Amino acid sequence: MKNNIYLFILSINISLFLINSSIGSIITDGLVSYWTFDNEHIVDKTAKDVWGDNNGKINGNPKLVNGKVGEALEFDGAKDFINLTTLGDFGRKMGTSTFEAWIKTKNNNDWMNLVNTHGIECPFWGIQLNGLKSKDAFRRGRGMMFFINSVERKRACSAYFIGNNINFYDGEWHHIVYINELNLEDGKTKEFVYIDSIAHGSIHGSFGNDWITLQFTEPVHLGVSNFEGKTEGFFEGMIDEVRFYDRSLKLEEIRHNYESTAPFNVEPNGKLPTVWGALKKKF
């Protein structure tokens, strides 16, 4: 009888552990890079990639502030940005991917870049706010968010994008997810945008089967446009919990990350071997 009671208590404790361990965790399947911007992951002018090998170089003096999860960085709209590198193997074969971040801004007037990279011609990729700027033209779009990607065919570069008029310039935290699905075998592409885990537009395109993607030739910049080494369109506001995946996240995964509240920890407290060892001592 006594042993049965112990087993019953053990099963309850393990069940509670399994429930609690899922709260605050993030999806790691396909995760390439993750910048938390927590104080413990910023050293001098380096924002550590806690999952991959793409540490970011901090430019300017973004402030460390309270974030959506842990700490975040506040960008001044004038000089602050982060060089996230060309993202290694991921940037060399950029295809289907997911970009995810929390942002907070009130600036619905000035053209800004959340994240961006741009080669001399191709490739270019990123998220622009309050306008869409390319090499030869500028499209004004106050209060809008533009998601841009590109492919190339015989040195001809073609862009495709989604433009959304979304009311997120309210000084509150908002969860941004941009998914690009690219199938070069049949020349099909799909883009999806989610704001606060709610779908806000999609686009389906067809390029034929002779288009290719190109590796990132310029570093991905967070908080500014990077075109041929020139920085412009500085972001004004806060950015937190930036992640890249090499696949498209499903809706339930997006909701899971949206609801995540626990700061990243490589070895979270309460991992199963520790809990099991503590319970064994009671017998």
Side-chain angles (χ1 to χ4, degrees):
M1 179 67 179
K2 184 177 181 180
N3 288 337
N4 290 335
I5 293 174
Y6 282 144
L7 289 174
F8 176 70
I9 294 173
L10 175 60
S11 65
I12 292 177
N13 277 278
I14 291 178
S15 298
L16 289 174
F17 165 78
L18 292 174
I19 294 172
N20 291 332
S21 64
S22 66
I23 298 174
S25 62
I26 63 160
I27 301 300
T28 58
D29 181 21
L31 183 61
V32 173
S33 287
Y34 178 11
W35 301 270
T36 69
F37 302 138
D38 290 343
N39 181 50
E40 62 182 309
H41 300 137
I42 295 178
V43 180
D44 297 326
K45 287 287 187 175
T46 299
K48 291 185 177 181
D49 177 356
V50 299
W51 193 261
D53 299 318
N54 303 306
N55 290 341
K57 180 181 178 181
I58 299 174
N59 294 263
N61 293 289
K63 297 178 181 178
L64 189 68
V65 297
N66 291 331
K68 177 63 180 180
V69 179
E71 287 83 42
L73 288 179
E74 182 175 10
F75 297 72
D76 64 3
K79 297 181 180 180
D80 299 339
F81 70 95
I82 301 179
N83 180 334
L84 299 180
T85 78
T86 54
L87 302 181
D89 289 341
F90 176 71
R92 281 191 286 272
K93 54 185 179 183
M94 182 70 169
T96 296
S97 61
T98 298
F99 172 82
E100 178 182 20
W102 283 93
I103 69 170
K104 182 177 183 179
T105 184
K106 291 183 178 180
N107 186 0
N108 68 345
N109 182 62
D110 303 317
W111 173 62
M112 306 188 296
N113 284 263
L114 175 58
V115 62
N116 174 275
T117 186
H118 202 316
I120 296 176
E121 293 292 339
C122 242
F124 47 93
W125 171 92
I127 302 175
Q128 301 183 28
L129 311 178
N130 300 318
L132 176 64
K133 189 173 185 178
S134 63
K135 182 178 180 180
D136 303 313
F138 176 74
R139 175 181 174 180
R140 178 68 171 165
R142 181 176 179 179
M144 293 190 69
M145 177 178 281
F146 294 89
F147 302 79
I148 313 102
N149 212 327
S150 63
V151 290
E152 186 181 70
R153 176 188 181 191
K154 297 178 180 179
R155 296 187 178 180
C157 191
S158 179
Y160 51 100
F161 67 90
I162 301 177
N164 281 282
N165 193 353
I166 307 167
N167 184 24
F168 60 85
Y169 299 89
D170 54 5
E172 301 294 336
W173 284 107
H174 293 285
H175 186 240
I176 311 299
V177 175
Y178 171 42
I179 298 173
N180 181 61
E181 294 183 356
L182 186 61
N183 187 336
L184 293 178
E185 292 182 1
D186 60 11
K188 303 289 185 182
T189 182
K190 300 177 184 178
E191 286 183 286
F192 304 93
V193 175
Y194 293 86
I195 309 295
D196 297 334
S197 76
I198 298 174
H200 275 271
S202 64
I203 186 172
H204 297 236
S206 178
F207 292 95
N209 58 11
D210 53 352
W211 290 83
I212 61 173
T213 58
L214 297 177
Q215 69 181 40
F216 287 165
T217 56
E218 294 287 340
V220 175
H221 280 28
L222 184 72
V224 75
S225 168
N226 172 34
F227 177 63
E228 296 183 357
K230 180 182 179 180
T231 53
E232 56 183 348
F234 288 86
F235 180 82
E236 181 181 0
M238 301 177 188
I239 303 177
D240 197 8
E241 300 292 296
V242 174
R243 293 184 279 266
F244 279 98
Y245 292 84
D246 63 5
R247 65 179 183 88
S248 58
L249 293 186
K250 299 176 182 178
L251 177 57
E252 57 267 28
E253 295 175 316
I254 293 171
R255 287 174 176 166
H256 181 96
N257 283 358
Y258 172 69
E259 295 170 357
S260 174
T261 57
F264 175 83
N265 191 341
V266 177
E267 295 183 357
N269 293 328
K271 55 186 178 180
L272 186 56
T274 302
V275 174
W276 178 259
L279 288 171
K280 284 175 66 178
K281 293 178 182 179
K282 295 181 180 180
F283 289 92

